[in-house]
Amino acid sequence: MFDSQGPSSPEIHNILSIARSRDEGSAPEVSIVVPCYNEEENLEPLHAEITATMARLGLRYEVIYIDDGSQDRTHERLEEIWERDLAVRVIRFRRNYGQTAALSAGFRYARADVVVTMDADLQNDPADIPKLLAKLDEGYDLVSGWREKREDRLFTRKVPSWLANWVIRKIIDVPIHDFGCTLKAYRRGVFDGIRLYGEMHRFIPALASFLGIRMAEIPVHHRPRVHGSSSYGLGRTPRVILDLVNVKFFVHYFARPSHIFARLGFHLLWPCALLSAAGFALMATGALEVPYWASALVLVLGILIFGQFLVAGLLGEIVMRAYHESQERPVYVVERVLNGGERKGAGEENRARRPAELRAGAGGP
Ligand code: UDP
Ligand code: MG
């Protein structure tokens, strides 16, 4: 458990304060976001556990299930749950976009200013939700679960995860033990402030650290997967490494891409310069016959490479600016959104609104 540095960026501080002072009305106080991919057998027991926990807490809440293009009967199960429980909303993706996109959609559609994310496979325990919320109430903006006793296979899951967490911790410099745990609680300022691409849900604490938020990590219960199978194996390692490079770049060189390129170029230049100088020295002392032109060529090569990196850095600056100033676009296409008004028995007036909501679905709630 730790405190990261407190709010440092004035921008995020403003977002957080606005979020906290919004008119509450009948909007939920907590949105629970659950990405689901082929989880047909887990959804009923999971929903029962979430409902029991939330009933004990006595908070207004909604559960947003994101069906990430499942091929089994996940959507039918979700529709049944949605039919009978007014607290449920369902988002169905047209195809499988991945857990990151599903979480990102959950954040976009969440109506509460506090979001709890969790897996659908019963590996996370809904009974931990009150602990996360209590910690958030202590003044944190992001509370991350730590699966201290992880119930997964040792060599294919636990060992790679320990290694990955160690590498990520070192490279990104955020002291979290378990980046991969989906069970987390966020304030709006955090989930509104980060953009997720690729497989970046693992790096949410790293991306959020950029916002200068207060972050805590608490141990949570982890259970073995009983129904269905894990979507991930060792095959994801190269993608995680590439995303790690991306995140490092975005978190640490986000506003100054030319600096990292210049550094890389310099680290290629100095060995060339050293090699060239050694060549000249050997020739001058007569120790070895190294032609002058060869030494000069190595030096010229180093300078050219350095120049190339400087130019790439400038291009990076242009791209970064275009990126930040361009329109925000979601990373998914929504096929269908099940909101409260469209339930059986709801008035025609509500049903008539559906196409408009669907249109809005492609770009957000
Ligand atoms: N998941 C998803 N889309 C995917 C893969 C997984 O929404 O393409 C969901 C899955 O249903 C589960 C969570 O993400 O709720 C974590 O997936 P999984 O249990 O396979 O990962 P593991 O726990 O083995 O890391
Ligand atoms: Mg799992």
Side-chain angles (χ1 to χ4, degrees):
M1 207 179 297
F2 74 96
D3 294 359
S4 73
Q5 68 279 43
S8 60
S9 146
E11 196 182 326
I12 185 61
H13 195 71
N14 284 342
I15 298 171
L16 291 167
S17 342
I18 294 165
R20 283 176 186 143
S21 63
R22 268 172 32 150
D23 178 19
E24 286 184 5
S26 63
E29 292 160 292
V30 183
S31 297
I32 298 165
V33 165
V34 191
C36 315
Y37 180 59
N38 295 342
E39 303 283 4
E40 57 181 1
E41 287 167 291
N42 292 316
L43 296 169
E44 285 289 352
L46 172 74
H47 191 66
E49 288 189 21
I50 293 178
T51 309
T53 299
M54 295 315 287
R56 272 199 302 278
L57 267 178
L59 291 171
R60 287 193 308 277
Y61 72 97
E62 64 178 1
V63 190
I64 304 179
Y65 290 104
I66 300 99
D67 171 11
D68 183 15
S70 300
Q71 288 105 29
D72 65 355
R73 296 183 61 79
T74 290
H75 196 66
E76 285 79 350
R77 291 285 101 81
L78 289 177
E79 214 167 328
E80 286 158 21
I81 296 171
W82 167 79
E83 276 292 349
R84 59 166 201 264
D85 189 342
L86 290 170
V88 172
R89 295 164 79 201
V90 177
I91 294 168
R92 183 186 197 178
F93 281 177
R94 278 196 182 276
R95 66 166 176 84
N96 179 235
Y97 285 94
Q99 195 183 344
T100 299
L103 286 171
S104 165
F107 291 145
R108 190 175 277 265
Y109 283 84
R111 288 180 300 163
D113 287 337
V114 169
V115 162
V116 173
T117 55
M118 63 186 302
D119 285 347
D121 57 2
L122 293 165
Q123 291 205 264
N124 293 141
D125 187 349
D128 283 320
I129 295 176
K131 269 202 294 188
L132 293 177
L133 295 178
K135 194 75 193 165
L136 209 62
D137 258 0
E138 286 177 23
Y140 293 97
D141 301 306
L142 168 60
V143 180
S144 192
W146 171 14
R147 297 165 293 178
E148 250 185 325
K149 294 199 189 78
R150 200 173 156 168
E151 295 291 344
D152 276 317
R153 291 219 176 98
L154 182 66
F155 286 107
T156 51
R157 306 308 308 274
K158 288 208 270 195
V159 172
S161 157
W162 289 329
L163 272 173
N165 279 312
W166 184 80
V167 171
I168 298 170
R169 203 159 51 233
K170 290 284 161 224
I171 292 188
I172 305 286
D173 200 20
V174 173
I176 287 259
H177 297 90
D178 186 5
F179 283 86
C181 181
T182 313
L183 188 58
K184 289 185 172 67
Y186 311 74
R187 286 193 188 280
R188 179 164 290 279
V190 180
F191 61 83
D192 272 355
I194 48 178
R195 291 280 167 270
L196 299 172
Y197 300 93
E199 310 244 323
M200 287 199 186
H201 60 274
R202 284 183 203 90
F203 300 109
I204 288 176
L207 293 168
S209 75
F210 179 78
L211 300 170
I213 58 157
R214 277 169 56 77
M215 209 183 302
E217 190 179 34
I218 58 173
V220 293
H221 187 204
H222 193 243
R223 306 180 285 195
R225 193 189 245 280
V226 178
H227 303 294
S229 53
S230 170
S231 309
Y232 305 110
L234 285 176
R236 66 179 153 174
T237 313
R239 276 172 291 162
V240 175
I241 293 171
L242 282 177
D243 277 342
L244 179 62
V245 174
N246 268 333
V247 171
K248 174 73 184 174
F249 182 76
F250 276 94
V251 172
H252 291 155
Y253 296 97
F254 156 81
R256 46 189 178 120
S258 53
H259 291 208
I260 182 74
F261 280 101
R263 262 171 74 169
L264 284 172
F266 181 71
H267 286 311
L268 291 170
L269 171 64
W270 69 259
C272 291
L274 215 65
L275 211 65
S276 165
F280 281 120
L282 288 173
M283 188 68 190
T285 53
L288 201 70
E289 283 278 316
V290 184
Y292 283 119
W293 65 263
S295 303
L297 201 68
V298 172
L299 184 63
V300 169
L301 193 73
I303 293 171
L304 281 178
I305 293 173
F306 185 50
Q308 287 292 310
F309 271 82
L310 287 184
V311 172
L314 289 179
L315 288 176
E317 293 280 339
I318 296 170
V319 173
M320 289 301 264
R321 271 157 223 214
Y323 166 81
H324 288 295
E325 285 157 29
S326 65
Q327 229 184 325
E328 286 170 16
R329 282 175 174 275
V331 291
Y332 51 82
V333 180
V334 172
E335 181 182 320
R336 193 174 174 203
V337 181
L338 299 180
N339 275 323
E342 295 114 42
R343 250 177 221 97
K344 273 181 203 145
E348 278 312 305
E349 193 190 315
N350 279 336
R351 286 172 188 275
R353 283 216 301 268
R354 190 167 172 172
E357 287 185 354
L358 258 182
R359 270 202 304 282

